[in-house]
Amino acid sequence: TKPSQLDYVRGFCATTKKPCIAPDDAALLADLDDASKWRDPSHMSKSGATLYTRWLARQLVSRGLVK
C-alpha cells in the first residue's frame, strides 16, 4: 500500500460518519511488506489476501460490527 493511498483512506475515514477501517496497522503493513504477498503493485496474492482478510475480520469483531 502506497503512502498516498493510506492518506486517502485515512482522510475518507475521518470525514465519514459510518464505520470505516483504515488499513494502517503497523503490524499489518509490515506483514504485507513482502513481495510474495502481491501479484502486482495493486493486487494481493492469495497469501496476502488471506493475511488481510484475517486482519479485517479481527477489526470488524473488535469494533462490534460482526459477531
Side-chain angles (χ1 to χ4, degrees), residues 1 28-49 51:
T1 303
L28 171 68
L29 295 175
D31 288 343
L32 289 174
D33 190 20
D34 175 346
S36 71
K37 304 294 187 223
W38 298 90
R39 284 188 23 224
D40 61 50
S42 299
H43 299 93
M44 292 178 193
S45 65
K46 184 175 180 179
S47 64
L51 180 80

Side-chain angles (χ1 to χ4, degrees), residues 6 8 10 14 17-18 27 30 32 35 40 44 47-48 50-51 53 58:
L6 282 176
Y8 173 81
R10 287 177 185 134
K17 294 179 182 176
K18 301 289 184 184
L32 289 174
D40 61 50
M44 292 178 193
S47 64
T50 299
L51 180 80
T53 300
R58 287 191 302 273

Side-chain angles (χ1 to χ4, degrees), residues 4-27:
S4 61
Q5 291 169 323
L6 282 176
D7 290 341
Y8 173 81
V9 173
R10 287 177 185 134
F12 178 84
C13 285
T15 61
T16 186
K17 294 179 182 176
K18 301 289 184 184
C20 188
I21 301 171
D24 59 359
D25 179 270

